Short mmCIF file of all heavy atoms in Angstrom, two decimals:
data_model
loop_
_atom_site.label_atom_id
_atom_site.label_comp_id
_atom_site.label_asym_id
_atom_site.label_seq_id
_atom_site.Cartn_x
_atom_site.Cartn_y
_atom_site.Cartn_z
N MET A 1 82.12 87.45 118.33
CA MET A 1 82.92 87.73 117.05
C MET A 1 82.63 89.12 116.63
O MET A 1 81.51 89.56 116.35
CB MET A 1 82.49 86.77 115.90
CG MET A 1 83.19 87.02 114.53
SD MET A 1 85.06 86.86 114.71
CE MET A 1 85.22 85.25 115.61
N PRO A 2 83.72 89.92 116.62
CA PRO A 2 83.57 91.35 116.18
C PRO A 2 83.11 91.41 114.71
O PRO A 2 83.53 90.61 113.86
CB PRO A 2 84.94 91.88 116.35
CG PRO A 2 85.94 90.87 116.33
CD PRO A 2 85.10 89.66 116.83
N LYS A 3 82.54 92.49 114.25
CA LYS A 3 82.25 92.63 112.92
C LYS A 3 83.50 93.06 112.16
O LYS A 3 84.19 94.08 112.65
CB LYS A 3 81.06 93.76 112.66
CG LYS A 3 80.61 93.80 111.24
CD LYS A 3 79.40 94.66 111.12
CE LYS A 3 79.16 94.94 109.69
NZ LYS A 3 79.42 94.10 108.67
N ILE A 4 83.86 92.58 110.99
CA ILE A 4 85.10 92.85 110.39
C ILE A 4 84.65 94.01 109.28
O ILE A 4 83.86 93.66 108.48
CB ILE A 4 85.75 91.67 109.74
CG1 ILE A 4 86.29 90.78 110.93
CG2 ILE A 4 86.83 91.96 108.82
CD1 ILE A 4 86.79 89.55 110.59
N SER A 5 85.35 95.00 109.35
CA SER A 5 85.05 95.99 108.28
C SER A 5 86.24 96.23 107.37
O SER A 5 85.91 96.75 106.07
CB SER A 5 84.84 97.33 108.89
OG SER A 5 86.06 97.81 109.51
N LYS A 6 87.45 95.83 107.65
CA LYS A 6 88.48 96.13 106.60
C LYS A 6 89.53 94.99 106.61
O LYS A 6 89.96 94.50 107.63
CB LYS A 6 89.17 97.42 106.87
CG LYS A 6 90.07 97.85 105.78
CD LYS A 6 90.32 99.38 105.76
CE LYS A 6 91.22 99.81 104.69
NZ LYS A 6 91.02 99.42 103.37
N VAL A 7 89.80 94.54 105.59
CA VAL A 7 90.83 93.42 105.37
C VAL A 7 91.92 93.99 104.32
O VAL A 7 91.57 94.34 103.22
CB VAL A 7 90.19 92.11 104.84
CG1 VAL A 7 91.40 90.96 104.80
CG2 VAL A 7 89.16 91.63 105.79
N THR A 8 93.13 93.88 104.74
CA THR A 8 94.13 94.39 103.81
C THR A 8 95.28 93.30 103.59
O THR A 8 95.61 92.68 104.60
CB THR A 8 94.88 95.65 104.34
OG1 THR A 8 93.79 96.52 104.89
CG2 THR A 8 95.73 96.32 103.44
N VAL A 9 95.82 93.06 102.54
CA VAL A 9 96.96 92.31 102.30
C VAL A 9 98.14 93.29 102.06
O VAL A 9 98.14 94.20 101.25
CB VAL A 9 96.90 91.49 100.89
CG1 VAL A 9 98.25 90.70 100.61
CG2 VAL A 9 95.76 90.42 101.12
N VAL A 10 99.13 93.08 102.90
CA VAL A 10 100.46 93.85 102.85
C VAL A 10 101.29 93.24 101.73
O VAL A 10 101.78 92.08 102.00
CB VAL A 10 101.22 93.91 104.20
CG1 VAL A 10 102.40 94.74 104.03
CG2 VAL A 10 100.34 94.44 105.26
N LYS A 11 101.34 93.85 100.63
CA LYS A 11 101.95 93.22 99.51
C LYS A 11 103.43 93.06 99.71
O LYS A 11 104.03 92.15 99.17
CB LYS A 11 101.77 94.26 98.31
CG LYS A 11 100.39 94.44 97.85
CD LYS A 11 100.09 93.38 96.70
CE LYS A 11 98.62 93.71 96.26
NZ LYS A 11 98.16 92.67 95.29
N ASP A 12 104.12 94.00 100.41
CA ASP A 12 105.48 93.77 100.71
C ASP A 12 105.76 92.45 101.57
O ASP A 12 106.90 92.06 101.59
CB ASP A 12 106.14 94.98 101.48
CG ASP A 12 106.28 96.19 100.57
OD1 ASP A 12 106.04 96.00 99.23
OD2 ASP A 12 106.34 97.32 100.91
N LEU A 13 104.84 92.18 102.20
CA LEU A 13 104.94 90.93 103.08
C LEU A 13 104.62 89.63 102.30
O LEU A 13 105.23 88.62 102.54
CB LEU A 13 104.25 91.00 104.35
CG LEU A 13 104.62 92.04 105.46
CD1 LEU A 13 103.71 91.98 106.65
CD2 LEU A 13 106.07 91.68 105.90
N CYS A 14 103.57 89.70 101.46
CA CYS A 14 102.97 88.49 100.88
C CYS A 14 104.01 87.85 100.09
O CYS A 14 104.77 88.47 99.24
CB CYS A 14 101.72 88.89 100.02
SG CYS A 14 101.12 87.59 99.07
N ILE A 15 104.13 86.49 100.11
CA ILE A 15 105.08 85.76 99.43
C ILE A 15 104.39 84.80 98.29
O ILE A 15 104.88 83.70 97.88
CB ILE A 15 105.96 84.86 100.27
CG1 ILE A 15 105.18 84.01 101.32
CG2 ILE A 15 106.94 85.86 101.13
CD1 ILE A 15 106.12 83.01 102.02
N GLY A 16 103.17 85.03 98.20
CA GLY A 16 102.22 84.29 97.27
C GLY A 16 102.03 82.77 97.69
O GLY A 16 101.69 81.89 97.00
N SER A 17 101.91 82.56 98.94
CA SER A 17 101.67 81.27 99.56
C SER A 17 100.32 80.64 99.21
O SER A 17 100.12 79.45 99.01
CB SER A 17 101.82 81.23 101.07
OG SER A 17 101.22 80.24 101.74
N ALA A 18 99.43 81.64 99.01
CA ALA A 18 97.92 81.26 98.52
C ALA A 18 97.15 80.50 99.59
O ALA A 18 96.13 80.01 99.13
CB ALA A 18 98.01 80.64 97.17
N SER A 19 97.60 80.28 100.73
CA SER A 19 96.83 79.60 101.63
C SER A 19 95.49 80.31 101.99
O SER A 19 94.46 79.77 102.22
CB SER A 19 97.50 79.14 102.96
OG SER A 19 98.11 80.29 103.49
N CYS A 20 95.58 81.78 101.88
CA CYS A 20 94.38 82.55 102.12
C CYS A 20 93.48 82.19 100.97
O CYS A 20 92.16 82.27 101.18
CB CYS A 20 94.82 84.09 102.12
SG CYS A 20 95.70 84.55 100.71
N VAL A 21 93.83 82.04 99.81
CA VAL A 21 92.89 81.84 98.65
C VAL A 21 92.26 80.49 98.78
O VAL A 21 91.15 80.17 98.64
CB VAL A 21 93.72 81.82 97.34
CG1 VAL A 21 92.76 81.68 96.14
CG2 VAL A 21 94.38 83.21 97.16
N ALA A 22 93.03 79.46 99.40
CA ALA A 22 92.57 78.19 99.60
C ALA A 22 91.49 78.06 100.67
O ALA A 22 90.51 77.47 100.52
CB ALA A 22 93.73 77.18 99.85
N VAL A 23 91.67 78.95 101.76
CA VAL A 23 90.76 78.93 102.83
C VAL A 23 89.49 79.80 102.53
O VAL A 23 88.57 79.27 102.79
CB VAL A 23 91.41 79.51 104.00
CG1 VAL A 23 90.43 79.80 105.11
CG2 VAL A 23 92.54 78.66 104.54
N LEU A 24 89.69 80.77 101.84
CA LEU A 24 88.45 81.69 101.54
C LEU A 24 88.63 82.40 100.23
O LEU A 24 88.88 83.58 99.94
CB LEU A 24 88.38 82.84 102.67
CG LEU A 24 87.16 83.60 102.76
CD1 LEU A 24 85.96 82.66 102.90
CD2 LEU A 24 87.20 84.60 103.86
N PRO A 25 88.28 81.53 98.99
CA PRO A 25 88.43 82.14 97.70
C PRO A 25 87.33 83.19 97.46
O PRO A 25 87.51 83.85 96.51
CB PRO A 25 88.28 80.97 96.83
CG PRO A 25 87.53 79.93 97.71
CD PRO A 25 87.98 80.26 99.13
N GLU A 26 86.33 83.27 98.26
CA GLU A 26 85.27 84.38 98.10
C GLU A 26 85.79 85.62 98.28
O GLU A 26 85.48 86.74 97.72
CB GLU A 26 84.02 84.09 99.02
CG GLU A 26 83.29 82.87 98.78
CD GLU A 26 83.91 81.58 99.31
OE1 GLU A 26 84.96 81.69 100.01
OE2 GLU A 26 83.35 80.46 99.19
N VAL A 27 86.95 85.81 99.13
CA VAL A 27 87.43 87.13 99.54
C VAL A 27 88.92 87.26 98.96
O VAL A 27 89.19 88.43 98.48
CB VAL A 27 87.57 87.28 101.13
CG1 VAL A 27 88.29 88.45 101.46
CG2 VAL A 27 86.12 87.22 101.66
N PHE A 28 89.76 86.21 98.87
CA PHE A 28 91.12 86.37 98.46
C PHE A 28 91.36 85.85 97.08
O PHE A 28 90.79 84.78 96.66
CB PHE A 28 92.05 85.79 99.49
CG PHE A 28 91.96 86.41 100.80
CD1 PHE A 28 91.06 85.82 101.81
CD2 PHE A 28 92.70 87.51 101.02
CE1 PHE A 28 91.05 86.42 103.12
CE2 PHE A 28 92.54 88.10 102.43
CZ PHE A 28 91.79 87.45 103.30
N ASP A 29 92.20 86.43 96.28
CA ASP A 29 92.55 85.87 94.99
C ASP A 29 94.09 86.34 94.81
O ASP A 29 94.50 87.26 95.43
CB ASP A 29 91.74 86.31 93.86
CG ASP A 29 91.77 85.52 92.67
OD1 ASP A 29 92.54 84.36 92.61
OD2 ASP A 29 91.15 85.77 91.71
N LEU A 30 94.60 85.60 93.94
CA LEU A 30 96.11 85.98 93.60
C LEU A 30 95.99 86.91 92.30
O LEU A 30 95.39 86.61 91.29
CB LEU A 30 96.96 84.83 93.21
CG LEU A 30 97.39 83.97 94.44
CD1 LEU A 30 98.66 83.03 93.90
CD2 LEU A 30 98.05 84.77 95.58
N GLY A 31 96.80 88.04 92.36
CA GLY A 31 96.91 88.95 91.34
C GLY A 31 97.92 88.55 90.22
O GLY A 31 98.64 87.56 90.39
N GLU A 32 98.04 89.24 89.17
CA GLU A 32 99.10 88.98 88.23
C GLU A 32 100.48 89.14 88.76
O GLU A 32 101.45 88.55 88.28
CB GLU A 32 98.96 89.90 87.05
CG GLU A 32 97.74 89.44 86.20
CD GLU A 32 97.54 90.44 84.93
OE1 GLU A 32 98.38 91.27 84.81
OE2 GLU A 32 96.57 90.27 84.34
N ASP A 33 100.61 89.80 89.91
CA ASP A 33 102.02 90.02 90.57
C ASP A 33 102.34 88.74 91.42
O ASP A 33 103.34 88.74 92.05
CB ASP A 33 102.10 91.27 91.37
CG ASP A 33 100.89 91.46 92.41
OD1 ASP A 33 100.12 90.40 92.53
OD2 ASP A 33 100.84 92.41 93.13
N GLY A 34 101.27 87.84 91.44
CA GLY A 34 101.54 86.67 92.23
C GLY A 34 101.39 86.84 93.74
O GLY A 34 101.66 86.00 94.63
N LYS A 35 100.78 87.91 94.07
CA LYS A 35 100.51 88.28 95.53
C LYS A 35 98.91 88.42 95.63
O LYS A 35 98.20 88.58 94.76
CB LYS A 35 101.10 89.51 95.88
CG LYS A 35 102.62 89.43 95.86
CD LYS A 35 103.28 90.72 96.31
CE LYS A 35 104.86 90.49 96.09
NZ LYS A 35 105.62 90.81 97.29
N ALA A 36 98.51 88.19 96.79
CA ALA A 36 97.08 88.10 97.05
C ALA A 36 96.43 89.54 97.24
O ALA A 36 97.12 90.48 97.40
CB ALA A 36 96.79 87.40 98.53
N TYR A 37 95.26 89.56 96.84
CA TYR A 37 94.45 90.83 96.94
C TYR A 37 93.07 90.46 97.42
O TYR A 37 92.64 89.36 97.44
CB TYR A 37 94.43 91.58 95.72
CG TYR A 37 93.57 91.00 94.62
CD1 TYR A 37 92.18 91.30 94.42
CD2 TYR A 37 94.14 90.15 93.72
CE1 TYR A 37 91.45 90.71 93.39
CE2 TYR A 37 93.37 89.49 92.66
CZ TYR A 37 92.00 89.67 92.58
OH TYR A 37 91.27 89.20 91.59
N VAL A 38 92.42 91.43 98.08
CA VAL A 38 91.08 91.26 98.51
C VAL A 38 90.10 91.70 97.45
O VAL A 38 90.10 92.76 96.94
CB VAL A 38 90.89 92.13 99.91
CG1 VAL A 38 89.46 92.08 100.39
CG2 VAL A 38 91.82 91.73 100.92
N LYS A 39 89.18 90.80 97.19
CA LYS A 39 88.17 91.10 96.14
C LYS A 39 87.25 92.21 96.54
O LYS A 39 86.76 92.17 97.78
CB LYS A 39 87.32 89.85 95.82
CG LYS A 39 88.22 88.70 95.20
CD LYS A 39 87.18 87.57 94.92
CE LYS A 39 87.96 86.36 94.26
NZ LYS A 39 87.08 85.21 93.98
N GLU A 40 86.99 93.18 95.69
CA GLU A 40 86.19 94.31 95.89
C GLU A 40 84.83 93.95 96.54
O GLU A 40 84.16 93.08 95.81
CB GLU A 40 86.11 95.27 94.82
CG GLU A 40 85.80 96.58 95.16
CD GLU A 40 86.06 97.64 94.12
OE1 GLU A 40 86.95 97.24 93.18
OE2 GLU A 40 85.38 98.69 94.05
N GLY A 41 84.38 94.45 97.58
CA GLY A 41 82.96 94.32 98.09
C GLY A 41 82.90 92.89 98.61
O GLY A 41 81.69 92.55 99.02
N SER A 42 83.88 92.02 98.89
CA SER A 42 83.60 90.72 99.42
C SER A 42 83.65 90.71 100.85
O SER A 42 83.06 89.67 101.44
CB SER A 42 84.78 89.89 98.70
OG SER A 42 85.95 90.12 99.35
N VAL A 43 84.20 91.61 101.57
CA VAL A 43 84.36 91.55 102.98
C VAL A 43 83.07 91.51 103.65
O VAL A 43 82.87 90.80 104.68
CB VAL A 43 85.24 92.57 103.52
CG1 VAL A 43 85.40 92.57 104.99
CG2 VAL A 43 86.79 92.24 102.87
N ALA A 44 82.32 92.45 103.16
CA ALA A 44 80.85 92.72 103.93
C ALA A 44 80.15 91.42 104.01
O ALA A 44 79.39 91.21 105.09
CB ALA A 44 80.12 93.75 103.22
N SER A 45 80.10 90.55 102.96
CA SER A 45 79.23 89.32 102.98
C SER A 45 79.96 88.13 103.52
O SER A 45 79.40 87.12 103.61
CB SER A 45 78.67 89.06 101.51
OG SER A 45 79.74 88.99 100.68
N ALA A 46 81.22 88.31 103.86
CA ALA A 46 82.00 87.07 104.24
C ALA A 46 81.90 86.83 105.85
O ALA A 46 81.60 87.79 106.59
CB ALA A 46 83.49 87.31 104.04
N ASP A 47 82.08 85.58 106.13
CA ASP A 47 81.87 85.24 107.61
C ASP A 47 83.21 85.70 108.37
O ASP A 47 84.35 85.44 107.84
CB ASP A 47 81.79 83.71 107.60
CG ASP A 47 81.71 83.20 109.08
OD1 ASP A 47 80.69 83.50 109.72
OD2 ASP A 47 82.69 82.52 109.54
N ALA A 48 83.05 86.38 109.39
CA ALA A 48 84.15 86.94 110.17
C ALA A 48 85.07 85.74 110.55
O ALA A 48 86.34 86.02 110.48
CB ALA A 48 83.64 87.69 111.29
N GLU A 49 84.67 84.71 111.13
CA GLU A 49 85.52 83.63 111.62
C GLU A 49 86.37 83.05 110.39
O GLU A 49 87.56 82.73 110.43
CB GLU A 49 84.65 82.51 112.25
CG GLU A 49 85.58 81.50 113.04
CD GLU A 49 86.42 82.15 114.13
OE1 GLU A 49 85.93 82.94 114.94
OE2 GLU A 49 87.68 81.83 114.21
N ALA A 50 85.73 82.90 109.14
CA ALA A 50 86.41 82.50 107.98
C ALA A 50 87.46 83.54 107.57
O ALA A 50 88.56 82.97 107.19
CB ALA A 50 85.36 82.25 106.77
N ILE A 51 87.15 84.80 107.66
CA ILE A 51 88.33 85.70 107.43
C ILE A 51 89.47 85.52 108.38
O ILE A 51 90.50 85.60 107.97
CB ILE A 51 87.62 87.20 107.42
CG1 ILE A 51 86.72 87.35 106.29
CG2 ILE A 51 88.85 88.24 107.33
CD1 ILE A 51 85.95 88.66 106.40
N LEU A 52 89.20 85.48 109.61
CA LEU A 52 90.18 85.24 110.50
C LEU A 52 91.01 83.94 110.31
O LEU A 52 92.18 83.91 110.46
CB LEU A 52 89.61 85.33 111.94
CG LEU A 52 89.26 86.66 112.52
CD1 LEU A 52 88.57 86.65 113.78
CD2 LEU A 52 90.63 87.59 112.68
N ASP A 53 90.34 82.88 109.91
CA ASP A 53 91.00 81.64 109.57
C ASP A 53 91.93 81.82 108.47
O ASP A 53 93.06 81.28 108.50
CB ASP A 53 89.87 80.55 109.20
CG ASP A 53 89.21 79.94 110.53
OD1 ASP A 53 89.78 80.10 111.54
OD2 ASP A 53 88.23 79.25 110.35
N ALA A 54 91.52 82.50 107.44
CA ALA A 54 92.26 82.85 106.30
C ALA A 54 93.61 83.61 106.67
O ALA A 54 94.65 83.30 106.27
CB ALA A 54 91.56 83.55 105.16
N ALA A 55 93.35 84.50 107.51
CA ALA A 55 94.43 85.45 107.98
C ALA A 55 95.34 84.74 108.76
O ALA A 55 96.61 84.77 108.65
CB ALA A 55 93.90 86.64 108.76
N ARG A 56 94.87 83.75 109.63
CA ARG A 56 95.77 82.94 110.55
C ARG A 56 96.57 81.86 109.67
O ARG A 56 97.58 81.43 109.98
CB ARG A 56 94.93 82.20 111.49
CG ARG A 56 94.18 83.02 112.59
CD ARG A 56 93.63 82.25 113.59
NE ARG A 56 92.74 82.87 114.50
CZ ARG A 56 91.46 82.87 114.55
NH1 ARG A 56 90.88 82.07 113.66
NH2 ARG A 56 90.62 83.53 115.37
N SER A 57 96.02 81.63 108.39
CA SER A 57 96.71 80.66 107.60
C SER A 57 97.94 81.22 106.82
O SER A 57 98.78 80.37 106.41
CB SER A 57 95.73 79.95 106.59
OG SER A 57 95.56 80.92 105.44
N CYS A 58 98.01 82.45 106.90
CA CYS A 58 99.12 83.10 106.17
C CYS A 58 100.49 82.97 106.94
O CYS A 58 100.55 83.30 108.08
CB CYS A 58 98.97 84.54 105.99
SG CYS A 58 100.17 85.45 105.11
N PRO A 59 101.37 82.34 106.18
CA PRO A 59 102.77 82.09 107.03
C PRO A 59 103.50 83.38 107.32
O PRO A 59 104.38 83.24 108.17
CB PRO A 59 103.47 81.20 106.03
CG PRO A 59 102.86 81.53 104.68
CD PRO A 59 101.42 81.94 104.81
N VAL A 60 103.21 84.44 106.72
CA VAL A 60 104.04 85.67 106.98
C VAL A 60 103.12 86.77 107.59
O VAL A 60 103.56 87.91 107.60
CB VAL A 60 104.72 86.11 105.77
CG1 VAL A 60 105.79 85.05 105.29
CG2 VAL A 60 103.73 86.40 104.72
N ASN A 61 101.91 86.39 108.00
CA ASN A 61 100.99 87.42 108.67
C ASN A 61 100.89 88.72 107.86
O ASN A 61 100.92 89.82 108.34
CB ASN A 61 101.58 87.82 109.97
CG ASN A 61 101.18 86.80 111.08
OD1 ASN A 61 100.37 85.93 110.93
ND2 ASN A 61 101.76 86.87 112.29
N ALA A 62 100.68 88.44 106.66
CA ALA A 62 100.53 89.62 105.53
C ALA A 62 99.08 90.09 105.58
O ALA A 62 98.77 91.10 104.89
CB ALA A 62 100.98 89.22 104.19
N ILE A 63 98.15 89.47 106.31
CA ILE A 63 96.74 89.94 106.20
C ILE A 63 96.35 90.64 107.44
O ILE A 63 96.39 90.08 108.58
CB ILE A 63 95.76 88.64 105.97
CG1 ILE A 63 96.23 87.93 104.70
CG2 ILE A 63 94.30 89.06 105.90
CD1 ILE A 63 95.59 86.60 104.42
N ILE A 64 96.03 91.73 107.29
CA ILE A 64 95.66 92.74 108.44
C ILE A 64 94.12 92.71 108.41
O ILE A 64 93.42 93.10 107.44
CB ILE A 64 96.16 94.11 108.35
CG1 ILE A 64 97.52 94.10 107.79
CG2 ILE A 64 95.72 94.95 109.43
CD1 ILE A 64 98.58 94.00 108.88
N VAL A 65 93.54 92.47 109.61
CA VAL A 65 92.11 92.52 109.85
C VAL A 65 91.66 93.55 110.92
O VAL A 65 92.24 93.60 111.99
CB VAL A 65 91.61 91.02 110.33
CG1 VAL A 65 90.09 91.06 110.41
CG2 VAL A 65 92.09 90.09 109.28
N LYS A 66 90.75 94.44 110.45
CA LYS A 66 90.32 95.46 111.24
C LYS A 66 88.85 95.33 111.52
O LYS A 66 88.03 94.95 110.61
CB LYS A 66 90.62 96.76 110.81
CG LYS A 66 92.09 97.08 110.75
CD LYS A 66 92.30 98.41 110.38
CE LYS A 66 93.89 98.81 110.48
NZ LYS A 66 94.42 100.02 109.96
N ASP A 67 88.39 95.75 112.91
CA ASP A 67 87.02 95.62 112.97
C ASP A 67 86.22 96.94 112.61
O ASP A 67 86.87 97.87 112.13
CB ASP A 67 86.68 95.37 114.60
CG ASP A 67 87.14 96.55 115.56
OD1 ASP A 67 87.43 97.66 115.11
OD2 ASP A 67 87.20 96.21 116.72
N ALA A 68 85.02 96.99 112.91
CA ALA A 68 84.22 98.23 112.51
C ALA A 68 84.65 99.50 113.17
O ALA A 68 84.37 100.59 112.56
CB ALA A 68 82.67 97.98 112.83
N ASP A 69 85.33 99.45 114.25
CA ASP A 69 85.85 100.66 114.92
C ASP A 69 87.32 100.98 114.43
O ASP A 69 87.83 101.94 114.94
CB ASP A 69 85.90 100.48 116.44
CG ASP A 69 84.48 100.15 117.04
OD1 ASP A 69 83.48 100.88 116.41
OD2 ASP A 69 84.36 99.50 117.99
N GLY A 70 87.80 100.17 113.62
CA GLY A 70 89.05 100.50 112.95
C GLY A 70 90.25 99.95 113.75
O GLY A 70 91.41 100.21 113.56
N ASN A 71 89.77 99.11 114.86
CA ASN A 71 90.82 98.42 115.64
C ASN A 71 91.45 97.19 114.95
O ASN A 71 90.67 96.47 114.40
CB ASN A 71 90.31 98.05 116.96
CG ASN A 71 89.84 99.24 117.70
OD1 ASN A 71 90.67 100.16 117.97
ND2 ASN A 71 88.60 99.17 118.23
N GLN A 72 92.74 97.11 114.97
CA GLN A 72 93.30 95.90 114.27
C GLN A 72 93.08 94.70 115.31
O GLN A 72 93.51 94.63 116.41
CB GLN A 72 94.77 96.18 114.10
CG GLN A 72 95.43 95.00 113.31
CD GLN A 72 96.85 95.38 112.95
OE1 GLN A 72 97.04 96.49 112.51
NE2 GLN A 72 97.80 94.40 112.92
N ILE A 73 92.42 93.66 114.73
CA ILE A 73 92.17 92.41 115.54
C ILE A 73 92.98 91.34 115.09
O ILE A 73 92.94 90.28 115.75
CB ILE A 73 90.70 92.08 115.51
CG1 ILE A 73 90.22 91.88 114.10
CG2 ILE A 73 89.86 93.12 116.27
CD1 ILE A 73 88.62 91.39 114.10
N TYR A 74 93.69 91.39 114.04
CA TYR A 74 94.62 90.39 113.57
C TYR A 74 95.69 91.03 112.58
O TYR A 74 95.28 91.67 111.72
CB TYR A 74 93.96 89.11 112.89
CG TYR A 74 94.96 87.94 112.86
CD1 TYR A 74 95.11 87.09 113.95
CD2 TYR A 74 95.83 87.83 111.66
CE1 TYR A 74 96.13 86.11 113.79
CE2 TYR A 74 96.73 86.74 111.63
CZ TYR A 74 96.94 85.88 112.68
OH TYR A 74 97.72 84.84 112.65
N PRO A 75 97.06 90.69 112.69
CA PRO A 75 97.67 89.85 113.75
C PRO A 75 97.86 90.66 114.96
O PRO A 75 97.79 91.80 114.91
CB PRO A 75 98.97 89.45 113.03
CG PRO A 75 99.31 90.56 112.03
CD PRO A 75 97.97 91.09 111.69
FE1 LIG B 1 100.12 86.07 100.53
FE2 LIG B 1 99.74 85.10 102.84
FE3 LIG B 1 97.82 84.78 101.18
S1 LIG B 1 101.61 85.10 101.70
S2 LIG B 1 98.97 84.65 99.12
S3 LIG B 1 98.60 86.75 101.93
S4 LIG B 1 98.51 83.31 102.60
#
């Protein structure tokens, strides 16, 4: 499992499905705009497989996951 260094929610894609929040509330939350955001400082301590599970749960692939080298590993 690669080390995950950056997780981004593409706001233009997010439809507020909130499955990411259900899978991993330690990292994802819904903002006042009804779209998900990544909680500050949460990625470093989160389990990489759990982050990928949350990203895979998004119906519109709005969650971009990058490894420590900056390579996009999902989607
Ligand atoms: Fe948005 Fe996808 Fe989460 S639509 S709320 S990023 S599951």
Side-chain angles (χ1 to χ4, degrees):
M1 178 58 54
K3 186 165 165 41
I4 290 171
S5 64
K6 191 157 177 55
V7 181
T8 314
V9 175
V10 181
K11 296 266 184 182
D12 286 348
L13 291 178
C14 176
I15 54 172
S17 159
S19 51
C20 58
V21 181
V23 171
L24 193 56
E26 293 84 359
V27 170
F28 299 97
D29 200 2
L30 283 192
E32 286 179 6
D33 58 0
K35 299 184 180 228
Y37 68 92
V38 177
K39 292 182 178 177
E40 201 164 337
S42 66
V43 170
S45 57
D47 178 67
E49 192 59 49
I51 291 173
L52 282 171
D53 280 347
R56 291 186 195 110
S57 79
C58 177
V60 293
N61 278 347
I63 300 172
I64 313 275
V65 183
K66 292 186 176 174
D67 69 13
D69 297 325
N71 297 312
Q72 186 169 322
I73 55 176
Y74 194 86

